Amino acid sequence: MVKQLRAGHDLEKALAADRLGVASVVFTVMAAAAPLTVVAGTVPMAYAVTGNLGLPVAFVALGLLLGVFAVGYVAMSRHLPHTGAFYAYVTHGLGRVPGVAAAWVSLAAYNLLQVSLYGGIGAAVSPLVEQTAGIQLPWWVFALGAWALVGTLGRARVEVSSHVLAVLLVAEVVLVIVVDAAALAHPAAGLAGSAWSPAELFRPEAGAILALAVLGFTGFESAVVFAEECRHPRRTIPAATYLALAVIAVLYGVSSWAITVGIGPADVVATAREQGPDLVFTLAATHLGPAAATAGHALFATSILAAMISFHATTARYVFALGREGVLPGVFGRTCPTGAPRAGSGAQSVIGVAVILTVAVTGADPLVALFYTGAATGALGILILLVLAALAILGFFATDPRGEGSWRTRTAPVLAAVGLLAVLGLVLGNFATLIGVPEASPLRWGLPAAYAAVAAAGAVYALVLRTHRPDVFAVIGQGAKADLHHPVPVPA
Amino acid sequence: MRVADEIYLLCHDDRTGNATVAPRVMGAGLAAGLVGELLLSGNLRLHGGGLYPAAEAVAPEDRLAREVLEVVGDGRHDRQLAGWLRFLAVEAVMDVRRRLVTDGVLVRVRSRRLLGVRWSYPPAQSNAAAWPGIRLARILTEGEPLPVSDQVLAGLVDAMGLLERVLWDGDTHAPGRRAAARVRDALPGDVAVLVAQTATVVADVVLT
């Protein structure tokens, strides 16, 4: 390499030897999204719990809204030292106190999403083992097995190789497309267009459906992280972000529609209630033979596992970044020689086992109480972060457009903020429907209020830091990537 | 022994010569070690976060140090220290290993495998290879004033997250960690920036 430099290459070009293009960034972003987990897990649960058929429209509508959001988001990412985490945007756009509040909300939301998958894996693997080996074991045995695997891999920083993830991703997408095609080729009650009617979105439970669509898009924001590793970040990053959004919107939109067509719009809710995640595989077995169903079950399990490992790593790194900044205790910011965020990974594992054991002891349904409610509540958290980030983008460019045009700095962010606020309002209004509890249930306001409490605690902590540790407060939002000696100024 | 050499030995098993630290963490630490050596010898200096050859630079005897000085001294490149650390990190492990083989600290061993051959680099004398770790643990727990080169070593080892491994005796963890923190706070200007920047680059490895 030294020789290359001598031969007249410049330093940046020498470092750019193996840079990423659009396709690789989209692949990386999608692989963690685990399409089969959403199509076979979340979609049937959404039909079962909410009884609303608006999911296909919701995926497409939200994809468009997030596309508008991404305009300002990508523009702002170019001016931040620390990208990919919503709290960094909030810090730079709205200030450090809201920033820490957002950081704590993110931690809660990502932890919920990760932990909820333990319910999914338990419910996915135990029927598979019963079918193939004839052994009947409770779901939590498999959940704990997955927990041990995820924790060990996270501590040692053995990440699932990107090649394995790519193969799994392609297999999942192929399976989803084949099942979709089969369902659409054999409509139960004619090619019903009712699920595509935007009117579904104006029914009272529509808010619930939109929250679930948010779930499908979780992770699209991470494309900006790769800006430093791209050949032409100014072109590659926006292209990859929009492409990922489009692929997710179309894949999930068509799949959730195909399910209603294959089962019949009138029966899909009842069938989903009865079969849960088996719905898609029963559909596969009917049209493609039992082998397709078995392959589907196996892929469903690996898909959840991949999502779990990826969320675990994300959460652990998040904790690490916050620990380094002093927003969490310093022990979380310590590096370990394997390059793994060890303390963060450990903390995430402790939360995981506590939740699995609690659900197991109380005898709650892992699919409804853990997989579905956890994911739906996590989605609410992500939605709150999206709203805060949209406002932050407006705040960030309000005083200084930093050379970006007004579509990027004003028009698109205003549209995105209004749209996302409306979605948040709908979701909060229908939260009882979303998590399938009666309006009077304590969870109906309790879970949203928990986010408010977490955010308030974060804000109080930030205020304490401002008084007692002004040096720590001063560099909040710089992230571990930034040079803490030359902090970029943050609005007070 | 030079700073980067000691870091290399700390990152490898003293008998087999197998690496015990993740390659990218090690690369960042060794790159910082190489820059540190040149800062200590007065050949490089830091100014406003950028790395510059000193006016009074004299070509070092060591070939690797000379190469690094030459490439950093070339006025065509961006000067930022972080960029240099990331750049030097790519080949730092190989570079430092080559230097240790030339100096006779490591030996090159060829072993036949089922498919092809494998080269390994065990230390010529395992006691000598274990020495940097023992020495660092001792000077940190005794709490005596350290020469600048050892301050840099201690700072970089801390930045790489290796401190707990060096302080292998559990009882010495707390006092050793405190001593390392004192050393870090007392580092002279240029090397303080180097150590902080190394910690940042290592954290970047953890995050990506």
Side-chain angles (χ1 to χ4, degrees):
Chain A
M1 205 172 212
V2 169
K3 284 186 195 110
Q4 272 185 26
L5 270 194
R6 284 217 194 100
H9 290 70
D10 66 24
L11 189 59
E12 277 310 306
K13 271 194 197 137
L15 274 172
D18 50 352
R19 297 247 150 150
L20 303 171
V22 177
S24 6
V25 176
V26 172
F27 238 87
T28 318
V29 170
M30 289 283 301
L36 201 57
T37 304
V38 175
V39 172
T42 316
V43 170
M45 291 302 287
Y47 286 137
V49 176
T50 66
N52 184 300
L53 297 186
L55 207 48
V57 188
F59 274 124
V60 174
L62 204 67
L64 291 173
L65 180 57
L66 290 179
V68 177
F69 167 80
V71 172
Y73 178 73
V74 171
M76 184 163 164
S77 77
R78 288 196 278 264
H79 304 278
L80 290 192
H82 176 40
T83 54
F86 284 132
Y87 87 93
Y89 291 75
V90 177
T91 307
H92 287 268
L94 301 176
R96 280 168 286 203
V97 174
V100 177
W104 286 32
V105 169
S106 327
L107 270 184
Y110 284 115
N111 265 309
L112 263 171
L113 289 177
Q114 205 275 343
V115 166
S116 75
L117 292 168
Y118 288 120
I121 193 100
V125 178
S126 75
L128 197 64
V129 168
E130 206 182 321
Q131 268 172 26
T132 49
I135 313 166
Q136 199 174 7
L137 288 170
W139 69 273
W140 49 263
V141 172
F142 302 102
L144 286 177
W147 170 83
L149 182 67
V150 169
T152 317
L153 293 179
R155 248 183 103 77
R157 190 169 181 166
V158 183
E159 286 183 28
V160 181
S161 113
S162 53
H163 298 287
V164 176
L165 280 181
V167 170
L168 284 177
L169 174 66
V170 170
E172 286 177 37
V173 171
V174 167
L175 183 86
V176 168
I177 292 175
V178 170
V179 174
D180 286 354
L184 292 176
H186 305 91
L191 262 185
S194 86
W196 276 121
S197 148
E200 287 285 331
L201 273 194
F202 293 97
R203 285 178 40 192
E205 327 83 61
I209 286 296
L210 283 165
L212 293 163
V214 170
L215 206 54
F217 288 97
T218 308
F220 85 94
E221 74 277 5
S222 59
V224 293
V225 175
F226 301 100
E228 277 179 23
E229 293 165 45
C230 289
R231 262 172 250 139
H232 310 289
R234 267 196 99 90
R235 282 208 307 271
T236 309
I237 293 302
T241 305
Y242 299 130
L243 190 60
L245 283 172
V247 170
I248 293 172
V250 171
L251 186 69
Y252 294 172
V254 169
S255 302
S256 46
W257 172 56
I259 289 173
T260 66
V261 172
I263 309 276
D267 303 325
V268 72
V269 172
T271 319
R273 280 186 186 146
E274 185 190 313
Q275 297 183 353
D278 274 339
L279 180 118
V280 171
F281 306 122
T282 324
L283 207 57
T286 321
H287 299 304
L288 305 163
T294 313
H297 270 123
L299 271 177
F300 184 44
T302 55
S303 165
I304 297 183
L305 202 58
M308 222 183 257
I309 292 167
S310 138
F311 271 125
H312 177 84
T314 311
T315 317
R317 282 178 212 169
Y318 218 102
V319 170
F320 172 77
L322 293 174
R324 247 181 81 80
E325 289 196 336
V327 177
L328 286 177
V331 61
F332 290 114
R334 239 176 246 163
T335 339
C336 110
T338 53
R342 195 165 52 181
S345 170
Q348 219 281 318
S349 293
V350 169
I351 295 175
V353 75
V355 171
I356 296 173
L357 293 180
T358 310
V359 178
V361 168
T362 54
D365 181 356
L367 262 184
V368 176
L370 191 50
F371 179 65
Y372 180 78
T373 310
T377 315
L380 173 65
I382 302 291
L383 186 55
I384 295 171
L385 289 170
L386 279 168
V387 169
L388 288 176
L391 296 172
I393 294 164
L394 276 174
F396 183 74
F397 289 118
T399 43
D400 178 4
R402 292 169 171 83
E404 306 276 356
S406 69
W407 161 245
R408 285 187 191 143
T409 60
R410 200 151 307 143
T411 319
V414 166
L415 291 174
V418 170
L420 286 167
L421 268 171
V423 172
L424 180 62
L426 281 172
V427 170
L428 283 177
N430 291 286
F431 197 70
T433 319
L434 171 65
I435 58 170
V437 297
E439 203 54 44
S441 160
L443 290 180
R444 191 256 176 269
W445 286 111
L447 291 175
Y451 278 121
V454 168
V460 167
Y461 185 72
L463 291 171
V464 170
L465 280 181
R466 184 162 72 181
T467 322
H468 296 283
R469 296 288 309 277
D471 53 324
V472 170
F473 187 74
V475 292
I476 287 173
Q478 300 300 317
K481 287 194 167 198
D483 176 359
L484 296 182
H485 283 269
H486 303 97
V488 181
V490 171
Chain B
M1 195 167 245
R2 290 167 289 231
V3 176
D5 294 349
E6 296 204 292
I7 295 176
Y8 182 95
L9 293 175
L10 281 168
C11 296
H12 290 80
D13 187 281
D14 56 17
R15 291 184 184 282
T16 62
N18 292 340
T20 55
V21 171
R24 290 177 65 203
V25 173
M26 187 157 53
L30 290 176
L34 290 172
V35 172
E37 290 172 14
L38 287 163
L39 288 173
L40 289 172
S41 65
N43 282 307
L44 284 177
R45 54 190 186 82
L46 271 167
H47 183 70
L51 198 55
Y52 297 88
E56 61 278 15
V58 280
E61 272 182 34
D62 170 49
R63 189 176 133 216
L64 177 55
R66 222 167 37 235
E67 276 180 6
V68 173
L69 182 61
E70 207 174 293
V71 68
V72 173
D74 185 338
R76 286 174 303 176
H77 309 305
D78 181 47
R79 296 266 158 227
Q80 289 306 306
L81 175 60
W84 281 116
L85 289 181
R86 284 209 305 275
F87 171 75
L88 293 170
V90 178
E91 288 183 354
V93 179
M94 261 160 52
D95 288 340
V96 175
R97 179 188 293 147
R98 197 178 305 130
R99 185 166 79 176
L100 285 167
V101 171
T102 313
D103 291 355
V105 179
L106 301 180
V107 286
R108 197 159 176 254
V109 176
R110 182 177 192 263
S111 47
R112 279 217 153 272
R113 288 289 151 126
L114 197 59
L115 298 166
V117 287
R118 176 174 173 263
W119 291 98
S120 59
Y121 298 86
Q125 293 179 311
S126 89
N127 281 348
W131 179 242
I134 298 169
R135 193 177 70 84
L136 187 59
R138 188 183 292 169
I139 55 181
L140 279 177
T141 37
E142 281 171 359
E144 295 200 358
L146 310 184
V148 189
S149 61
D150 283 343
Q151 293 178 16
V152 176
L153 178 66
L156 292 179
V157 163
D158 191 10
M160 293 168 74
L162 286 173
L163 208 54
E164 276 175 29
R165 192 180 287 186
V166 169
L167 301 165
W168 52 273
D169 176 1
D171 292 343
T172 63
H173 262 188
R177 189 165 276 292
R178 277 196 299 275
R182 275 199 304 277
V183 168
R184 194 182 51 218
D185 292 341
L187 283 173
D190 277 6
V191 286
V193 175
L194 175 69
V195 167
Q197 193 57 259
T198 309
T200 305
V201 174
V202 171
D204 192 12
V205 170
V206 178
L207 285 176
T208 47

